[in-house]
Amino acid sequence: MKIIKTTLAISVGAILTSNPVIEASAAEIAIAGDMNQSSSTNLISYQNTQRDAFSSTADGFQKYQRGVSESIPFAVLDDSLSTFTGDSLGIIDDNNSDEFFGVTDTVNPDNSEPVSAQWVFDISGAPQLGLSIDIGAMGDFENSDFFTITASIDGGVEQVLIASSVDESGSASYTLAGGSSFELDDPLFANDTQLSNKLKTIRAAIEGTGGTLQVTLTASSNGGSEAFAFQNLSIISGFEESEPTGPELVSIADIQGTGFSTELSGEEVVVEGIVVGDYQRNDETDNGDLRGFFLQSLTPDGNPLTSEGIFIFDGSSPSLDVKIGDVVSVIGSVSEFSGMTQVSADSVVVNAEGQPLPEAVSLTLPINDDLDLESVEGMRIILEQPLVISEYFNFDRFGEIVLALPLNNENRLITPTAIEAPGSSAFEQRDIANSQAKITLDDGRTSQNADPAIHPNGDVFSLTNRFRGGDTVQFLNGVMHQAFGAYRIQPTSGAQFLETNPRQSAPAFESDITVASFNVLNYFTTLDENGNRCGPNDSSCRGADNSEEFERQKQKIVAALVDIDADIVGLIEIENNPDVSLKDLTDSVNGVLGSEVYAYVDTGTIGTDAIKVGLIYRQDSVETEGAFATLDSSVDSRFIDQLNRPVLLQTFREKQRGGVLSVAVNHLKSKGSDCEDFGDVDMQDGQGNCNDVRNDAAKALVDWIATDPTNSGDPDVLVIGDLNSYDKEDPILTITSSGFTDLVAKYEGEFAYSYVFDGQVGYLDHALSSSVLTEQVINTQVWHINADEPDIFDYDTSFKKDAQDALFEPNAFRSSDHDPVIVGINLNVVPEDKSQCKKGKWKTLNRHDGSTFKNQGDCVSFVNTGK
């Protein structure tokens, strides 16, 4: 790329000669030709002995046409717009359906010599002849790769009109129609014009006149990773060799247009404006900046539908350091890259420095139409309203966070099925409203795990300068960008930040016992390395990749369990081995506590998955009552244990007062993969994949619990775990309609959450109490140690650079991706004096199946807690 820097004012005309294009005058007349919109004029004959001569479809030297030719060498075709979006080579794009001549790999097992094709045209004595042809070339060429176009009048001397050459010391940038750019060495020239994958018109005069003109194309290409293409061959009478001119000055608004994509893709243009966002490659940090800058027009066209800004791509190589406030002229080609209109610069001229910037466009959420964002693509923008940090899944890897305007004065965007009936009009309205209330804040870089991570306030993200989901950002200044399927703001300065959701200590209840549900995020003692296999079905291992990661994971999980300090803990996502992982975790907690405080329910392997559920309990406060029970497909065929993890049910007795409680730990099928093999498809009602599988499991669960599987003789049952369902979805309604109470909703309200997905909160982690137990629960709380924390704090060292690894702390925060749910209970105790049963304070309770509990004379449950 040619880059010029000067503080002098330079006119457009002074810089146009850097990219010569010869134009035809108005007096010229095309008298003959071929491959002009797939038609020929005054063509007497066409001969090509190499047509269909090569055995490989990747080799070619002949005319082709998309949709007509049986096969076309892939190296000639640019399929990046739709056919093959990952294409990295090609010339004739998806929109070019006209006939063309393609050349690639003519030196092959079928041929070793240069090949030729001839056209003979009737010129009937026309004067002042010339040839015009569109040519494209892309690849890493060698001097042995060449083509020539010659002409002979009435069989006379051949004139060389166009000859190729290779610059073996140079390189060139090629942008495919889909927007992807590639830098390749050794570009090809036709006469003095550098060729690219965009067809360029090359012209040459023909001496003499006569009756017939033979045009010969001779070429040789060795390899399938480079190609030539020719189209629109015209023989001109009245040909004039004009002075070289360059592309025209085009306004940014005209390039952007009023739609989502430019109508000038592939055009060479001159564009002028002021730099409003500088994201050029910084070779010192090598952080993968956007490799360009944003240019905004100084003379807006007044049309609110056309953007006045555009991205200038200036490549990966070291370049002139333009600055915000520079007024520049750019020559380059227009293209779309990942939905964003851009100009790939061939030359840059700085005309002035330090100029005042255009006023930023004020944006407000919600955005009702993407055209509202498209109309300011590349422009300075400001969002003054307070926005909540809503999603940060890509913060550590790509520097992205999602900001949102909560609806209806709510604190966060709520997953629609957490508060609305799936598939209902209210669900659909909230789903649309949520999508319109979000926007991505990026960091101006494209590299993964960039160092350092940048806080929304513009400073380095650190242990003392961190954020959580639910914190607030305001007065956001930046440039509107589009990439990776989303509009995004590239910041030009730090935003105002307010910590509105600080970390909290673990909840403490004045209750006799506490029960917690905790997803421990694949706690595997078998490391995911060296091809290790896990689980009864010899599945891929999960969790820590090495001993360092495992130690970090253990420290965080143990810290969380110690802080929770529950009497009974249901564990989700622990390795499904006989007892190694569960024992290791229990021993580690006891090691911190300094004594054998906790024991675990030794179930061995449960089911066939690589993970299972488990239980640990404080031996000083509770003890197991009888054997555990499990629910799987062998118990109820509706419970598909190929997909759901088997349920673990254990009855406990409180040591101090003798109360009895049964705890059922669950982990139902996730929404992440489909269940179509089981006839369960996503109904597009918000419940996602496998809703029927989960709902059938819920039906089996409540029916199974009604049979008192552990022979507890007591109806106090607590269902906990990751049910992979939000609280208005079918599986939860199935359980609550069977008499269970949703304790998270009861104590934390409709907008409770334990999990964040797609910038929306809700709870997949549940605590549901049987009807009798409900009156004995004194509180339930979700402890937000995980869902609100960026995963840059977690144990995983994959991809992280040293500075990110150093953010690790051996505490409970970001120990998992789900928040623990903690329930406080004061269990009722049957009085030894059975006469109390006759005074109306106690009553006989029936099981769901109609039979009666037989326990201490049917005197099983104190109706009014605490009396």
Side-chain angles (χ1 to χ4, degrees):
M1 179 181 66
K2 178 182 179 183
I3 298 184
I4 307 168
K5 178 149 186 169
T6 176
T7 55
L8 299 175
I10 298 178
S11 69
V12 174
I15 62 175
L16 294 185
T17 57
S18 64
N19 192 8
V21 176
I22 301 176
E23 296 181 345
S25 71
E28 293 182 341
I29 300 173
I31 60 171
D34 192 22
M35 301 180 293
N36 290 288
Q37 295 182 334
S38 306
S39 298
S40 62
T41 304
N42 288 328
L43 177 63
I44 297 173
S45 66
Y46 164 72
Q47 183 177 5
N48 179 11
T49 60
Q50 301 301 323
R51 184 178 185 275
D52 297 326
F54 304 142
S55 56
S56 172
T57 57
D59 307 333
F61 181 82
Q62 64 186 73
K63 294 182 188 179
Y64 300 99
Q65 187 175 1
R66 281 184 179 270
V68 175
S69 301
E70 184 175 341
S71 64
I72 304 175
F74 62 85
V76 181
L77 297 180
D78 173 0
D79 291 324
S80 60
L81 273 175
S82 57
T83 310
F84 175 45
T85 56
D87 204 355
S88 60
L89 179 69
I91 303 166
I92 305 299
D93 67 35
D94 293 299
N95 291 327
N96 190 338
S97 58
D98 292 332
E99 188 178 47
F100 68 93
F101 198 100
V103 182
T104 184
D105 198 20
T106 63
V107 179
N108 55 53
D110 303 308
N111 178 72
S112 60
E113 300 298 324
V115 290
S116 297
Q118 293 85 31
W119 291 259
V120 177
F121 297 102
D122 178 3
I123 56 174
S124 299
Q128 201 174 340
L129 297 174
L131 176 140
S132 172
I133 188 168
D134 293 347
I135 309 175
M138 183 176 180
D140 184 350
F141 295 98
E142 308 295 335
N143 279 325
S144 58
D145 301 315
F146 75 90
F147 67 84
T148 60
I149 298 176
T150 61
S152 173
I153 297 175
D154 295 334
V157 176
E158 275 197 313
Q159 308 172 41
V160 177
L161 304 182
I162 300 172
S164 68
S165 61
V166 176
D167 179 4
E168 291 199 313
S169 62
S171 64
S173 178
Y174 302 83
T175 301
L176 296 187
S180 298
S181 294
F182 304 91
E183 187 118 353
L184 300 176
D185 293 332
D186 309 331
L188 194 74
F189 286 71
N191 293 349
D192 294 324
T193 299
Q194 182 173 315
L195 299 175
S196 75
N197 58 312
K198 306 299 182 185
L199 294 172
K200 292 185 178 180
T201 302
I202 308 297
R203 294 159 49 90
I206 303 172
E207 295 181 3
T209 187
T212 62
L213 174 71
Q214 177 176 296
V215 174
T216 302
L217 169 65
T218 303
S220 181
S221 172
N222 188 2
S225 60
E226 59 267 333
F228 319 137
F230 305 85
Q231 198 173 46
N232 298 323
L233 190 165
S234 296
I235 308 302
I236 297 170
S237 176
F239 184 86
E240 294 184 3
E241 291 194 58
S242 305
E243 288 297 318
T245 62
E248 295 182 356
L249 175 66
V250 181
S251 73
I252 292 174
D254 284 344
I255 296 173
Q256 287 281 11
T258 58
F260 286 106
S261 58
T262 181
E263 295 183 357
L264 301 181
S265 185
E267 297 287 330
E268 293 283 330
V269 297
V270 176
V271 63
E272 294 183 330
I274 186 168
V275 177
V276 294
D278 178 14
Y279 305 95
Q280 293 173 297
R281 184 67 174 265
N282 187 328
D283 289 327
E284 293 181 3
T285 60
D286 192 29
N287 256 335
D289 301 293
L290 301 182
R291 296 182 293 171
F293 53 92
F294 289 92
L295 205 60
Q296 189 164 329
S297 175
L298 291 170
T299 54
D301 70 344
N303 184 349
L305 299 180
T306 57
S307 172
E308 298 295 339
I310 196 164
F311 182 68
I312 307 298
F313 175 78
D314 69 352
S316 302
S317 57
S319 62
L320 178 67
D321 183 19
V322 301
K323 294 179 175 62
I324 291 177
D326 285 353
V327 176
V328 304
S329 297
V330 177
I331 298 176
S333 58
V334 179
S335 64
E336 291 285 331
F337 180 78
S338 192
M340 179 187 66
T341 304
Q342 67 176 24
V343 171
S344 295
D346 293 323
S347 67
V348 176
V349 176
V350 177
N351 299 327
E353 297 178 337
Q355 299 303 300
L357 300 180
E359 183 178 355
V361 176
S362 180
L363 289 183
T364 56
L365 298 181
I367 300 295
N368 297 322
D369 191 327
D370 279 352
L371 278 174
D372 294 338
L373 299 179
E374 180 69 27
S375 67
V376 294
E377 181 184 82
M379 296 177 65
R380 290 189 71 212
I381 56 96
I382 182 171
L383 282 85
E384 297 184 14
Q385 63 196 141
L387 301 174
V388 170
I389 295 177
S390 179
E391 173 70 78
Y392 20 86
F393 179 77
N394 281 329
F395 174 69
D396 61 334
R397 196 162 183 185
F398 299 113
E400 302 172 0
I401 64 173
V402 176
L403 303 176
L405 179 70
L407 308 177
N408 308 319
N409 296 317
E410 298 158 9
N411 291 327
R412 306 282 281 275
L413 291 185
I414 311 297
T415 299
T417 54
I419 55 175
E420 311 291 359
S424 66
S425 60
F427 155 79
E428 292 176 352
Q429 291 169 11
R430 183 170 285 274
D431 190 42
I432 293 171
N434 280 0
S435 67
Q436 295 173 341
K438 297 183 289 187
I439 196 160
T440 298
L441 172 63
D442 212 332
D443 67 347
R445 299 175 292 182
T446 58
S447 60
Q448 296 189 33
N449 296 85
D451 182 16
I454 302 298
H455 192 284
N457 64 16
D459 295 331
V460 173
F461 183 89
S462 68
L463 294 175
T464 57
N465 185 43
R466 61 175 186 255
F467 66 79
R468 277 167 52 93
D471 287 339
T472 303
V473 172
Q474 193 170 4
F475 300 109
L476 180 62
N477 290 276
V479 180
M480 183 58 62
H481 184 211
Q482 187 180 11
F484 307 109
Y487 290 93
R488 59 194 59 230
I489 299 165
Q490 300 295 353
T492 51
S493 63
Q496 185 182 99
F497 171 78
L498 185 62
E499 185 184 36
T500 48
N501 183 28
R503 290 176 173 179
Q504 303 291 335
S505 300
F509 303 144
E510 295 296 326
S511 59
D512 292 341
I513 64 170
T514 55
V515 181
S517 172
F518 189 23
N519 186 313
V520 292
L521 188 59
N522 295 314
Y523 188 89
F524 277 54
T525 52
T526 306
L527 301 178
D528 188 13
E529 64 178 359
N530 301 325
N532 288 339
R533 309 296 290 179
C534 293
N537 274 356
D538 201 28
S539 306
S540 297
C541 297
R542 309 176 192 177
D545 295 328
N546 51 59
S547 57
E548 178 191 3
E549 285 191 350
F550 180 63
E551 185 59 30
R552 287 160 58 114
Q553 181 186 28
K554 180 187 295 189
Q555 288 176 343
K556 281 197 166 288
I557 296 294
V558 169
L561 289 171
V562 169
D563 288 348
I564 292 169
D565 192 28
D567 298 284
I568 303 168
V569 182
L571 302 171
I572 299 95
E573 289 193 20
I574 195 159
E575 183 181 357
N576 191 12
N577 52 27
D579 69 352
V580 176
S581 293
L582 194 54
K583 183 179 186 302
D584 178 84
L585 184 55
T586 307
D587 290 345
S588 298
V589 173
N590 288 336
V592 172
L593 295 175
S595 63
E596 299 297 311
V597 176
Y598 281 92
Y600 62 91
V601 177
D602 188 358
T603 62
T605 58
I606 306 176
T608 59
D609 201 350
I611 55 176
K612 67 178 179 179
V613 298
L615 279 162
I616 64 173
Y617 59 95
R618 288 189 67 106
Q619 300 181 89
D620 57 350
S621 58
V622 296
E623 61 186 358
T624 57
E625 183 92 345
F628 68 86
T630 56
L631 170 62
D632 57 20
S633 298
S634 68
V635 176
D636 191 321
S637 60
R638 293 174 298 177
F639 191 97
I640 303 174
D641 59 17
Q642 292 173 260
L643 301 172
N644 304 291
R645 270 65 54 167
V647 181
L648 171 61
L649 177 65
Q650 176 68 62
T651 299
F652 295 90
R653 183 175 295 276
E654 181 194 6
K655 285 188 172 181
Q656 184 175 0
R657 301 178 61 232
V660 174
L661 172 67
S662 296
V663 178
V665 191
N666 298 261
H667 189 191
L668 299 188
K669 173 69 180 73
S670 74
K671 301 173 185 282
S673 57
D674 68 66
C675 295
E676 294 181 6
D677 289 346
F678 293 83
D680 184 1
V681 299
D682 185 350
M683 300 304 293
Q684 305 298 316
D685 60 357
Q687 301 187 91
N689 288 315
C690 308
N691 181 62
D692 288 345
V693 166
R694 288 187 293 275
N695 195 34
D696 284 345
K699 293 174 183 177
L701 173 66
V702 294
D703 289 348
W704 179 64
I705 288 174
T707 67
D708 191 17
T710 56
N711 296 312
S712 68
D714 193 298
D716 292 338
V717 181
L718 183 65
V719 173
I720 61 174
D722 180 359
L723 301 181
N724 274 309
S725 305
Y726 295 103
D727 47 320
K728 291 299 184 288
E729 295 182 10
D730 295 335
I732 308 307
L733 297 182
T734 291
I735 297 173
T736 55
S737 65
S738 299
F740 286 80
T741 298
D742 183 343
L743 295 174
V744 174
K746 178 178 179 179
Y747 287 97
E748 295 229 317
E750 199 67 51
F751 304 123
Y753 66 95
S754 69
Y755 191 70
V756 174
F757 181 76
D758 196 25
Q760 303 169 146
V761 298
Y763 59 97
L764 302 172
D765 305 273
H766 292 265
L768 302 121
S769 57
S770 59
S771 58
V772 178
L773 179 63
T774 299
E775 298 180 4
Q776 303 166 64
V777 175
I778 67 162
N779 205 344
T780 299
Q781 189 171 329
V782 181
W783 187 25
H784 298 305
I785 56 174
N786 296 321
D788 289 333
E789 297 283 336
D791 58 2
I792 197 171
F793 289 130
D794 70 16
Y795 75 86
D796 195 346
T797 62
S798 302
F799 303 106
K800 289 180 181 175
K801 295 181 180 177
D802 291 345
Q804 291 182 323
D805 277 342
L807 295 172
F808 172 83
E809 291 182 295
N811 59 21
F813 295 97
R814 198 62 194 188
S815 50
S816 177
D817 54 347
H818 292 246
D819 289 328
V821 179
I822 306 170
V823 181
I825 304 171
N826 286 336
L827 285 172
N828 293 325
V829 182
V830 176
E832 293 188 11
D833 180 4
K834 302 302 185 297
S835 65
Q836 293 293 317
C837 297
K838 300 176 182 178
K839 294 182 180 180
K841 295 183 179 179
W842 299 82
K843 69 178 182 180
T844 298
L845 293 172
N846 293 328
R847 295 178 176 174
H848 294 288
D849 63 0
S851 63
T852 303
F853 283 99
K854 300 292 185 181
N855 182 35
Q856 299 189 43
D858 287 336
C859 183
V860 293
S861 183
F862 204 4
V863 176
N864 298 308
T865 303
K867 294 184 178 179

Coordinates of all heavy atoms in Angstrom, one line a residue, residues 365 383 385-392 400-406 413 434-442 456 467-468 471-476 489 495-497 759:
L365 N -31.2 3.3 23.3 CA -31.8 2.0 23.2 C -33.2 2.2 23.7 O -33.5 3.0 24.6 CB -31.0 1.0 24.0 CG -29.6 0.7 23.6 CD1 -29.0 -0.3 24.5 CD2 -29.5 0.3 22.1
L383 N -23.9 7.2 23.5 CA -25.0 6.7 24.2 C -24.9 7.3 25.6 O -24.1 6.9 26.4 CB -25.1 5.2 24.3 CG -25.6 4.5 23.0 CD1 -24.4 4.3 22.1 CD2 -26.2 3.1 23.4
Q385 N -27.5 7.3 27.9 CA -28.3 6.7 28.9 C -27.6 5.7 29.7 O -26.6 5.0 29.2 CB -29.6 6.1 28.3 CG -29.2 5.0 27.3 CD -30.4 4.6 26.4 OE1 -30.1 4.3 25.2 NE2 -31.6 4.6 26.8
P386 N -27.9 5.4 31.0 CA -27.3 4.4 31.8 C -27.7 3.0 31.3 O -28.9 2.7 31.1 CB -27.8 4.6 33.2 CG -29.1 5.4 33.0 CD -28.9 6.2 31.8
L387 N -26.7 2.2 31.0 CA -26.9 0.8 30.5 C -26.3 -0.2 31.4 O -25.2 0.0 32.0 CB -26.3 0.7 29.1 CG -26.9 1.7 28.0 CD1 -26.1 1.5 26.7 CD2 -28.4 1.5 27.8
V388 N -26.9 -1.3 31.5 CA -26.5 -2.4 32.4 C -25.5 -3.3 31.7 O -25.8 -3.7 30.5 CB -27.7 -3.2 33.0 CG1 -27.2 -4.4 33.7 CG2 -28.5 -2.3 33.9
I389 N -24.4 -3.7 32.3 CA -23.6 -4.8 31.8 C -24.4 -6.1 31.8 O -24.7 -6.6 32.9 CB -22.3 -4.8 32.5 CG1 -21.5 -3.6 32.3 CG2 -21.4 -6.0 32.0 CD1 -20.2 -3.5 33.1
S390 N -24.6 -6.6 30.7 CA -25.6 -7.7 30.6 C -25.0 -9.1 30.2 O -25.5 -10.1 30.6 CB -26.7 -7.3 29.5 OG -27.6 -8.3 29.4
E391 N -23.9 -9.1 29.4 CA -23.3 -10.3 29.0 C -21.8 -10.1 28.9 O -21.4 -9.0 28.4 CB -23.9 -10.7 27.6 CG -23.2 -11.9 27.0 CD -23.4 -13.2 27.7 OE1 -24.5 -13.8 27.5 OE2 -22.5 -13.6 28.4
Y392 N -21.0 -11.1 29.2 CA -19.5 -10.9 29.3 C -18.9 -12.2 28.9 O -17.7 -12.4 29.2 CB -19.1 -10.4 30.6 CG -20.1 -10.6 31.7 CD1 -20.2 -11.9 32.4 CD2 -21.1 -9.7 31.9 CE1 -21.2 -12.1 33.3 CE2 -22.2 -10.0 32.8 CZ -22.2 -11.2 33.5 OH -23.2 -11.5 34.4
E400 N -15.3 -8.3 24.4 CA -16.6 -7.9 24.1 C -17.5 -8.0 25.4 O -17.4 -8.9 26.2 CB -17.3 -8.7 23.1 CG -16.6 -8.7 21.7 CD -17.3 -9.7 20.8 OE1 -18.3 -10.4 21.2 OE2 -16.8 -9.8 19.6
I401 N -18.4 -7.0 25.6 CA -19.4 -7.1 26.6 C -20.7 -6.6 25.9 O -20.7 -5.8 24.9 CB -19.2 -6.3 27.9 CG1 -19.1 -4.8 27.6 CG2 -17.9 -6.8 28.6 CD1 -19.0 -4.0 28.9
V402 N -21.8 -7.1 26.4 CA -23.1 -6.6 25.9 C -23.7 -5.7 26.9 O -23.8 -6.0 28.1 CB -24.1 -7.8 25.6 CG1 -25.4 -7.4 25.2 CG2 -23.4 -8.7 24.6
L403 N -24.2 -4.5 26.5 CA -24.9 -3.6 27.3 C -26.4 -3.6 27.0 O -26.8 -3.8 25.8 CB -24.3 -2.2 27.1 CG -22.8 -2.0 27.3 CD1 -22.4 -0.6 26.9 CD2 -22.4 -2.3 28.7
A404 N -27.2 -3.3 28.0 CA -28.6 -3.4 27.8 C -29.4 -2.4 28.5 O -28.9 -1.9 29.6 CB -29.1 -4.8 28.2
L405 N -30.5 -2.0 28.0 CA -31.5 -1.1 28.7 C -32.6 -2.0 29.3 O -33.4 -2.5 28.5 CB -32.1 -0.1 27.7 CG -33.1 0.8 28.3 CD1 -32.4 1.8 29.3 CD2 -33.8 1.6 27.2
P406 N -32.6 -2.3 30.6 CA -33.6 -3.2 31.2 C -35.0 -2.6 30.9 O -35.2 -1.4 30.8 CB -33.3 -3.2 32.7 CG -31.8 -2.8 32.7 CD -31.6 -1.8 31.6
L413 N -32.2 -7.6 31.8 CA -33.0 -8.3 30.8 C -33.3 -9.7 31.3 O -32.4 -10.4 31.6 CB -32.3 -8.3 29.5 CG -32.1 -7.0 28.7 CD1 -31.5 -7.3 27.3 CD2 -33.4 -6.2 28.6
N434 N -36.3 -7.6 24.1 CA -35.0 -7.9 24.6 C -33.9 -7.7 23.5 O -32.8 -7.1 23.8 CB -34.9 -9.3 25.2 CG -35.5 -9.4 26.6 OD1 -35.9 -8.5 27.1 ND2 -35.4 -10.6 27.1
S435 N -34.2 -8.2 22.4 CA -33.2 -8.1 21.3 C -33.0 -6.7 20.9 O -31.8 -6.3 20.4 CB -33.7 -9.0 20.1 OG -34.8 -8.4 19.5
Q436 N -34.0 -5.8 21.0 CA -33.8 -4.4 20.6 C -33.2 -3.6 21.7 O -32.8 -2.4 21.4 CB -35.2 -3.9 20.2 CG -35.8 -4.5 19.0 CD -37.3 -4.0 18.8 OE1 -37.9 -3.5 19.7 NE2 -37.8 -4.2 17.6
A437 N -33.1 -4.2 22.9 CA -32.5 -3.4 24.0 C -31.1 -3.7 24.3 O -30.6 -3.3 25.4 CB -33.4 -3.7 25.3
K438 N -30.4 -4.3 23.4 CA -29.0 -4.7 23.6 C -28.1 -4.2 22.6 O -28.5 -4.0 21.4 CB -28.8 -6.3 23.7 CG -29.6 -7.0 24.8 CD -29.3 -8.5 24.7 CE -30.0 -9.2 23.6 NZ -29.8 -10.6 23.6
I439 N -26.8 -3.9 22.9 CA -25.8 -3.6 21.9 C -24.4 -4.0 22.5 O -24.2 -4.0 23.7 CB -25.8 -2.1 21.6 CG1 -25.0 -1.8 20.3 CG2 -25.3 -1.2 22.8 CD1 -25.3 -0.5 19.6
T440 N -23.5 -4.4 21.6 CA -22.2 -4.9 22.0 C -21.2 -3.8 22.1 O -21.1 -2.9 21.2 CB -21.7 -5.9 21.0 OG1 -22.6 -7.0 21.0 CG2 -20.3 -6.4 21.3
L441 N -20.5 -3.8 23.2 CA -19.3 -2.8 23.3 C -18.1 -3.7 23.1 O -17.8 -4.6 23.8 CB -19.3 -2.2 24.7 CG -18.1 -1.4 25.1 CD1 -17.9 -0.2 24.1 CD2 -18.1 -0.9 26.5
D442 N -17.2 -3.3 22.1 CA -16.0 -4.0 21.8 C -14.8 -3.2 22.4 O -15.0 -2.2 23.1 CB -15.9 -4.2 20.3 CG -15.2 -5.5 19.9 OD1 -14.4 -6.0 20.6 OD2 -15.5 -6.0 18.8
P456 N -14.6 -1.3 30.7 CA -15.4 -0.3 29.9 C -15.0 1.2 30.3 O -15.3 2.1 29.5 CB -16.8 -0.6 30.4 CG -16.8 -2.1 30.8 CD -15.4 -2.3 31.3
F467 N -15.5 -5.4 36.9 CA -16.9 -5.2 36.8 C -17.7 -6.5 37.0 O -17.1 -7.6 36.9 CB -17.3 -4.6 35.4 CG -17.1 -5.5 34.3 CD1 -18.0 -6.5 33.9 CD2 -16.0 -5.3 33.5 CE1 -17.8 -7.3 32.8 CE2 -15.7 -6.1 32.4 CZ -16.6 -7.2 32.1
R468 N -19.0 -6.4 37.3 CA -19.9 -7.5 37.4 C -21.1 -7.3 36.5 O -21.4 -6.1 36.2 CB -20.3 -7.8 38.8 CG -19.3 -8.5 39.7 CD -19.6 -8.4 41.2 NE -21.0 -8.8 41.5 CZ -21.4 -10.0 41.9 NH1 -20.5 -11.0 41.9 NH2 -22.7 -10.3 42.2
D471 N -23.7 -4.2 36.8 CA -23.1 -2.8 37.0 C -23.5 -2.0 35.8 O -24.0 -2.4 34.8 CB -21.5 -3.0 37.0 CG -21.0 -3.5 38.3 OD1 -21.8 -3.5 39.3 OD2 -19.9 -4.1 38.4
T472 N -23.2 -0.7 35.9 CA -23.8 0.3 35.0 C -22.7 1.1 34.2 O -21.7 1.5 34.8 CB -24.7 1.3 35.7 OG1 -25.7 0.6 36.4 CG2 -25.4 2.3 34.8
V473 N -23.0 1.3 32.9 CA -22.1 2.1 32.1 C -22.9 3.2 31.5 O -24.1 3.0 31.1 CB -21.5 1.2 31.0 CG1 -20.8 2.1 29.9 CG2 -20.6 0.2 31.5
Q474 N -22.3 4.4 31.4 CA -23.1 5.6 30.9 C -22.1 6.5 30.2 O -20.9 6.4 30.3 CB -23.7 6.3 32.1 CG -24.7 7.4 31.7 CD -25.5 7.9 32.8 OE1 -25.2 7.6 34.0 NE2 -26.5 8.8 32.6
F475 N -22.7 7.3 29.3 CA -21.9 8.3 28.5 C -20.8 7.5 27.7 O -19.6 7.7 27.9 CB -21.3 9.4 29.4 CG -22.3 10.2 30.1 CD1 -22.4 10.1 31.5 CD2 -23.1 11.0 29.4 CE1 -23.4 10.8 32.1 CE2 -24.1 11.8 30.1 CZ -24.2 11.6 31.5
L476 N -21.3 6.7 26.8 CA -20.4 5.8 26.0 C -20.1 6.5 24.7 O -21.0 6.7 23.9 CB -21.1 4.5 25.8 CG -20.3 3.4 25.0 CD1 -19.0 3.1 25.6 CD2 -21.2 2.2 24.8
I489 N -20.1 -1.2 19.2 CA -19.5 0.1 19.4 C -18.0 -0.1 19.6 O -17.6 -0.8 20.6 CB -20.1 0.8 20.6 CG1 -21.6 1.1 20.3 CG2 -19.4 2.2 20.8 CD1 -22.4 1.5 21.5
A495 N -15.9 5.0 29.2 CA -17.2 5.4 29.6 C -17.3 5.6 31.1 O -16.4 5.2 31.9 CB -18.2 4.3 29.2
Q496 N -18.3 6.2 31.6 CA -18.5 6.4 33.0 C -19.0 5.1 33.5 O -20.0 4.5 33.0 CB -19.6 7.5 33.3 CG -19.8 7.8 34.7 CD -20.9 8.9 34.9 OE1 -22.0 8.6 35.2 NE2 -20.5 10.1 34.7
F497 N -18.4 4.6 34.6 CA -18.8 3.3 35.2 C -19.2 3.4 36.6 O -18.6 4.2 37.4 CB -17.6 2.4 35.1 CG -17.7 1.1 35.9 CD1 -18.5 0.0 35.3 CD2 -17.2 0.9 37.1 CE1 -18.6 -1.2 36.0 CE2 -17.3 -0.3 37.8 CZ -18.1 -1.3 37.3
G759 N -27.1 -12.5 27.3 CA -27.4 -11.2 27.9 C -28.7 -11.2 28.7 O -29.1 -10.1 29.1

